[in-house]
Structures are given as C-alpha cells and as structure tokens.
C-alpha cells in the first residue's frame, strides 16, 4: 500500500518499482535537494575580488570589455560632440562609471552621486529634489556601493550616505541626485529581503569557484608528492625490532647526505635505492572540466575567462567571440547606456556647460564594435558591396548618382551606409516618365507614322504631295 501511495504522489517523472528508479529510499538521486541559500558576506566578497584572480575576472571583465572602445555621440556637429566629451573628461566620468559598474556587480548594487549646482544653496540642498531646469553646472560625479547607502525609513525618496571615514557625519541625498546600478538579476522577493538591492554576480558561481580552487590545490599537493625515493635495507624489520632505530636513522641520514653533497649514493651490496614518480595522467583533463564548469557558472566563454584557445577539431573560436560580443552589447545597452545618457544630458543642460543650457536635439549614443575589422575584412566587404552596386546599376534598380551620393558622403567609401530609397519620389519619377512617353506617342500619331524625331521638313514634304523623289526634284529646281 505504501508503494502505491508513493506512486500516486509522484507523477512528475519516470517510475519503476522493479529497478527502483523514482522510488524514494531506493533511488539515490531523490536524496539531492537544493540547500538553503548561502549569502556571501561583504567581507568575503571583498576578499574574493582582491584575492582570487578568477573571481575578480568574473566581476570586472565584462565592464572592462564593454568600455574598452569608448562611445560615440551622433546627431550634433563634430565640434559640439568634442566639447561634450571634453566636459565629461573634466569630470573623470568614464573612470567613475567603470568603477561603478565593477563594484556594483561585486556587491550587488550601488549608485552614482550627482553633485550638481541647481541654485539651491541651503546646507540641505542635497536632500532636496534636483531642479533640472535651473542647473548651473555639474561639479562632480562620485560613486558609492550599496554598503554605504541606505534608505531613510518614513521619508519617500531620501537616502542616507554613510561616510568612508569615522568621525564624519552622514549625508542625506534625494534619489533624483542618484543614478542606481544593480548587480546580478534578482527577483522582487529576494530584493525585498536585501533592502532593495541585488545579489552579487559571484553568488551563483561561488560554490563552483570554491570547488575549482580546491581541485587546483589538490593537484598542487599531488605534484609536490609525485616524486619520492625508496630505500631497501636488508633486515630492516629485525633491526627495528631489536631496538636499533638510531642505527637505521644514521644510515638514512648518511644516504641523504651523500646524495646532496657528492650527488652520489653510497650503498651496501645488499641495499637498494630507487626513485619513483607518481602517475599524473588525466589530471589536465580533470582541470579542463573544472574550467568549463566555472565558465558556465559565470556565463562567460572559456576562451575569455581562462585566456585559452578554442579546443576541438577545426575549432576557431568564432562562435565564442560572437556570443561574447552579443553579451557585451547587451551589457552596454542595459547597464551603461542609462547612466551615460543621464550625465550627458545634465552636462548639456547646465548653464555653464558647453551648450549654455540648450540640449542638442536628436542626439543618441552609439557603441563601436568590440573587435574592429582588419584591412583584409574591409577590402572583402568593399568588393562585395561594389559588385552588388554594379548589379543594381546594370539592372537600373539604382542610378550611378544615387550610389555615389550614398557611398561617398564622407572622404572615402562608406560600406555601412545602407540605401534608403524614397519610394514616393520614385513613384513620382516613374509617373513623370510615363506621362512623357504618352505625350511623345501622341505627338507621333499627330505628325504621322513616318515622322521620326530629328527628320526636319519631312512633314512639309509629305504635305506637298511629294515623296522622296519629288522632294529631290524640288530641291534640284
């Protein structure tokens, strides 16, 4: 009856009373369950980042790769873009954003603190909402992680920033003067338990990193003990039983001394010395599996995390590179774009900024490619596009002038400038050509079928009733 009840309770997988699969108490797999979540303390997170190279790389590599090629501002004139970027360089914002991205990922969140002069001069100005329409200048942009930032209970939109050093007073800051950054993806329920913050990106891969470190340490110990010496002494057991331990020790010390001093081992005729090396075959395969497991837990390609080349037959690593490029682009758009846009807009809106408070219209941020194309790749793309342009011109899909205007807007050939054909303009042009053809046909009908463009006087000749010969006679007369 108990087996039947157990069977009725389990309707979520394969079950066999004969083999024991799916039977609780027989199938050992059913004994595995998820244990309680171990929340990594802040002190241990700091130790992992600064003391473990793999943990530090998991945290910092994605922001560093995403920010390695900078950013581009499109829309305004080049001179305006240069002034805009110069204003951000004076604030050292790019370095601040880099640190903010790294340590927010490490500790599960943080915020950029906007030090802005908006005309409010009271000592509590930082605790008041930011007046974006009265910004004089952006004085600084600073960063703090979640450990120093707590929400003030009972007051909406107010946060308390704890000082770095003891003896200093805390600062009250309104949330409109903060730009928050998160850590790992965390659901709302867990965020509520974490006071509104996220998990660290190391939380999910913590146990895997620990297991890899233990495996690496075990291999190191195995290597230290892989080579050992063996000495055979006749009658050793009898000597130890008769209390001649000192004689045995003296003999071993003499062997060791002779080996280190003269690099020669002196042996009796009935003694033997042998040096053995432990078999280490397969250890590299075990470590490779651990490396793949850590990379999978961190959500990173093995080639990026460990700096190794792609493994396998005909492996080029292009798939890993493409996956990593997409991951970097997602991080740029979802993590870096918002704080960068906020600070750029504040700098542009400031009265003492490069634009005098007038924010340029139609501006946007574009991220360059992670891996720029080589000269060979650019030449191959140029060849393909020019061939396609030639086909479109030959088949009268495009005019040569259109190709020239679209491809050579700048100083050189623009491979990335796709054609945007104005269909309305094309329809008007076709309609105009159709009307011209119809008018030409009507004129031809009115003038006679034999009338050809350019045959001057032919209509007059036919009106006079003379053919070609008559016309000739008239001309002769």
């Amino acid at each position: 009856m108990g087996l039947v009840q157990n069977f009725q309770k389990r309707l979520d997988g394969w079950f066999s009373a004969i083999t024991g699969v799916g039977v609780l108490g027989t199938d050992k797999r059913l004994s595995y369950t998820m244990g309680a979540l171990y929340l990594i303390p802040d002190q241990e997170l700091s130790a992992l980042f600064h003391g473990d190279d793999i943990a530090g790389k998991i945290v910092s590599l994605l922001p560093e790769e995403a920010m390695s090629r900078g950013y581009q501002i499109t829309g305004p004139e080049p001179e305006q873009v240069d002034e805009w970027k110069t204003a951000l360089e004076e604030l050292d914002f790019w370095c601040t954003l880099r640190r903010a991205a790294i340590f927010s990922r490490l500790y599960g969140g943080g915020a950029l603190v906007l030090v802005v002069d908006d005309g409010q001069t009271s000592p509590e100005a930082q605790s008041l909402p930011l007046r974006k329409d009265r910004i004089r200048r952006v004085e600084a942009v600073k960063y703090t992680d979640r450990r120093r930032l707590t929400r003030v209970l009972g007051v909406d939109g107010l946060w308390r920033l704890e000082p770095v050093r003891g003896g200093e007073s805390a600062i009250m800051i309104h949330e409109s003067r903060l730009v928050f950054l998160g850590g790992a993806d965390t659901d709302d329920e867990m965020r509520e338990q974490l006071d509104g913050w996220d998990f660290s990106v190391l939380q999910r891969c913590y146990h895997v990193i620990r297991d890899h470190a233990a495996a690496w340490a075990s291999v190191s110990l195995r290597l230290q003990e892989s080579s050992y010496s063996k000495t055979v002494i006749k009658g050793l057991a009898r000597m130890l039983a008769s209390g001649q331990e000192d004689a045995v020790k003296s003999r071993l010390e003499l062997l060791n001394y002779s080996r280190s001093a003269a690099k020669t081992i002196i042996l009796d005729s009935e003694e033997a010395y042998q040096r053995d090396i432990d078999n280490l075959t397969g250890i590299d395969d075990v470590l490779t599996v651990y490396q793949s497991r850590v990379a999978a837990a961190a959500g990173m390609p093995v080639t990026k995390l460990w700096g190794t080349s792609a493994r396998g037959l005909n492996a080029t690593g292009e798939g890993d590179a493409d996956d990593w490029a997409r991951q970097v682009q997602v991080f740029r758009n979802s993590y870096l774009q918002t704080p960068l846009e906020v600070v750029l807009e504040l700098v542009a809106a400031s009265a003492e900024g490069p634009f005098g408070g007038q924010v340029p219209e139609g501006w946007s941020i574009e991220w360059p490619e992670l891996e720029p194309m080589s000269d060979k790749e650019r030449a191959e793309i140029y060849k393909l596009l020019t061939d396609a342009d030639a086909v479109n011109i030959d088949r009268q899909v495009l005019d040569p002038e259109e190709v020239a205007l679209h491809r050579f807007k700048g100083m050189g050939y623009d491979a990335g400038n796709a054609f945007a054909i104005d269909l309305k303009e094309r329809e008007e042009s076709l309609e105009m050509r159709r009307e011209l053809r119809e008018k030409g046909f009507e004129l031809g009908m009115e003038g006679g079928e034999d009338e050809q463009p350019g045959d001057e006087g032919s209509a007059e000749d036919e009106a006079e009733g003379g053919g070609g010969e008559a016309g000739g006679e008239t001309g002769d007369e």
Side-chain angles (χ1 to χ4, degrees), residues 144-329:
T144 180
D145 59 65
R146 62 157 179 78
R147 297 176 297 173
R148 297 175 50 213
L149 200 59
T150 56
R151 189 187 300 271
V152 177
L153 299 178
V155 182
D156 292 338
L158 196 61
W159 292 76
R160 177 186 178 91
L161 178 61
E162 300 293 340
V164 178
R165 303 177 183 85
E168 299 180 359
S169 58
I171 303 175
M172 300 299 175
I173 303 179
H174 193 268
E175 64 181 5
S176 60
R177 301 175 185 269
L178 299 172
V179 181
F180 294 96
L181 297 102
D185 292 338
T186 309
D187 60 45
D188 294 338
E189 183 177 352
M190 292 305 304
R191 282 174 57 87
E192 190 68 25
Q193 298 181 27
L194 297 172
D195 296 331
W197 299 107
D198 297 327
F199 282 119
S200 167
V201 296
L202 297 178
Q203 181 68 49
R204 189 179 299 174
C205 54
Y206 171 78
H207 298 289
V208 181
I209 297 174
R210 181 195 60 189
D211 294 343
H212 172 266
W216 190 265
S218 300
V219 171
S220 300
L221 293 175
R222 180 79 177 273
L223 290 174
Q224 295 175 15
E225 299 175 356
S226 62
S227 177
Y228 57 92
S229 59
K230 181 172 62 177
T231 304
V232 179
I233 301 177
K234 185 178 180 180
L236 177 61
R238 185 177 62 255
M239 294 173 65
L240 295 175
S242 60
Q244 300 181 34
E245 293 90 347
D246 294 339
V248 175
K249 291 180 180 179
S250 299
R251 180 58 183 146
L252 294 176
E253 290 176 358
L254 179 61
L255 286 173
N256 190 44
Y257 176 77
S258 64
R259 182 183 62 178
S260 60
K263 297 183 180 180
T264 302
I265 299 176
I266 303 174
L267 298 173
D268 190 78
S269 60
E270 296 180 345
E271 294 178 338
Y273 177 84
Q274 183 179 353
R275 191 171 187 85
D276 294 336
I277 299 178
D278 198 2
N279 185 11
L280 301 177
T281 304
I283 289 182
D284 56 339
D285 296 333
V286 174
L287 291 179
T288 299
V289 173
Y290 269 104
Q291 290 177 351
S292 300
R293 181 68 184 91
V294 174
M300 301 172 61
V302 176
T303 53
K304 278 293 181 181
L305 180 58
W306 299 100
T308 58
S309 58
R311 296 175 178 266
L313 186 63
N314 297 327
T316 61
E318 293 182 0
D320 288 349
D322 293 341
D323 293 341
W324 178 248
R326 284 192 291 269
Q327 191 173 351
V328 168
Q329 189 61 35

Side-chain angles (χ1 to χ4, degrees), residues 443-453 455-472 474:
L443 289 174
M445 291 295 294
E446 292 175 359
E449 295 181 356
D450 295 334
E451 179 181 358
Q452 299 294 331
D455 293 342
E456 298 179 357
S458 59
E460 291 81 353
D461 294 340
E462 291 180 3
E464 293 174 0
E469 296 178 355
T474 305

Side-chain angles (χ1 to χ4, degrees), residues 6 10 12-15 20-34:
N6 191 21
R10 291 190 50 81
D12 58 347
W14 294 102
F15 175 90
V21 174
V23 179
L24 187 62
T26 304
D27 192 343
K28 295 180 180 180
R29 300 173 306 161
L30 302 181
S31 62
Y32 290 95
T33 59
M34 284 296 297

Side-chain angles (χ1 to χ4, degrees), residues 115-170:
V115 184
V116 179
D117 181 3
D118 58 351
Q120 302 184 77
T121 58
S122 63
E124 298 81 13
Q126 290 292 326
S127 62
L128 301 176
L130 178 64
R131 298 188 298 187
K132 295 184 179 181
D133 56 337
R134 299 185 182 181
I135 296 177
R136 296 177 180 175
R137 62 181 176 276
V138 179
E139 298 179 350
V141 180
K142 301 180 180 180
Y143 169 72
T144 180
D145 59 65
R146 62 157 179 78
R147 297 176 297 173
R148 297 175 50 213
L149 200 59
T150 56
R151 189 187 300 271
V152 177
L153 299 178
V155 182
D156 292 338
L158 196 61
W159 292 76
R160 177 186 178 91
L161 178 61
E162 300 293 340
V164 178
R165 303 177 183 85
E168 299 180 359
S169 58

